[in-house]
Amino acid sequence: MPAPIEELREQIVGLLPRLRRFARAIARNPHDADDLVQIAIERALARSGQLRPDSRLSSWMFGIVRNAWIDEARSRGRRERIFAPAELGENIGDPAHETQSDMLAVQEAMARLPEEQRIAVGLVLVEGVSYKEAAEIMNVPIGTVTSRLARAREALQAMLADTTGALR
Amino acid sequence: MKFSDETLMAYADDELDPPTRAAVEAAMAADPELARRVARHKELRNQLRSAFDKVLDEPVPDRLIATARTAPADRRADNVIPLRRKSAPRWSWPQLGSIAASLVVGAILGQLLLRASITGPIIARDGQLLASGALAHALSNQLASDQAQQAPVRLGVSFRSKSGEYCRTFLLREPSALAGVACRGREQWRVQVLAQSGQAAADGGQYRPAGSALPRLVLQAVDEQIAGEPLDASGEAAARSRDWRH
């Protein structure tokens, strides 16, 4: 029998720090990331009857965040692709962000990855989810997860090597 | 031995089975270039992790917490009955949800039976609890889809049990607020489950997510006993016309 709704609500509250971290890894800026988490919470509660007793809440929620992000990205479409690089650039000169330059470099590199690669990285490398769990969340075979991760890593290593090289 | 980059990556992510893992470690010991590639994978992982771990230290925005605590929820998650049916009885689970209920322990039940007069709502006979008086009358005659707001007994969901009997949930307002399930035996309504509710009246039918745990015991009993879907208004009327006999 599924947990009563009040229990579920509190479990979601407990998961919020991780959901925000995952959303930050896949969305383009902190504001979008929190909007994404908000949409995911709403969807999760509206569909809470679909949560099976044997499934892990974190995996289920990551899946909802991922789907919500893909829906959002699709609906924003072209506008996003045009403005995203400028938005990223704006943060660089902001003194509040200077102390977080390492984070910024990583985020900027992440933002350049294709959506599905970024999601794989967010799940496995940021959230520490197993390949198998990530495959279930992304609804793809494990082999697809590993190949996305391998390509993403290669791209990230190249970009981050560039960044650190440029800063020095 | 040669290892693909994916294998080295899986090693860094601790995803290899023990034999492959041992093979990679042996190869790394012999080949510094291999060890360097693995180290790069681990380093990237640490870099990503430490960049985003900072998010965990940030205070969670209030609006997100508020959304988690108040956004509308699928009622099915609050246990038991899928509310998919087209025409629900008017006294719905959400109304029941406004009743904080707890299991009737012996003491409460004893009090109830003592207080109940000969025409009281529940009597004990031959080791069974039977509906009596106003409760028995309501169970036999009152339709959930057509009942007075202030009726002393409110009927909730009616359903066929797995053993083929008709069962109904009820809320008794007097002498104390009790919710329960009664099933129609050959002659009488047997009270299967009784749970005390903290509040006598439903709150005007508003769904209140906060603090509105359903009388779990009642819901669980329905969940365990129900065969198929609850009766809709016409099913309820048809059952009444057969005097709730199958």
Side-chain angles (χ1 to χ4, degrees), chain A residues 61-81:
Chain A
M61 290 292 304
F62 286 143
I64 293 172
V65 172
R66 175 229 177 219
N67 293 339
W69 174 249
I70 288 176
D71 292 350
E72 283 289 290
R74 259 184 215 138
S75 67
R76 288 189 197 187
R78 202 178 169 80
R79 187 181 63 86
E80 189 80 345
R81 257 172 277 144

Side-chain angles (χ1 to χ4, degrees), chain A residues 18 20 24 41 50 53 57 63 71 81 95 106 121 131 150 164:
Chain A
R18 285 190 69 194
R20 291 184 74 233
R24 197 74 68 87
I41 300 167
Q50 295 168 14
L57 181 66
D71 292 350
R81 257 172 277 144
V106 170
V121 169
Y131 289 3
T164 41

Side-chain angles (χ1 to χ4, degrees), chain A residues 3-21:
Chain A
I5 196 70
E6 297 311 316
E7 222 171 281
L8 179 69
R9 288 181 188 279
E10 290 312 308
Q11 284 171 355
I12 291 175
V13 169
L15 266 181
L16 286 176
R18 285 190 69 194
L19 294 176
R20 291 184 74 233
R21 180 174 62 179

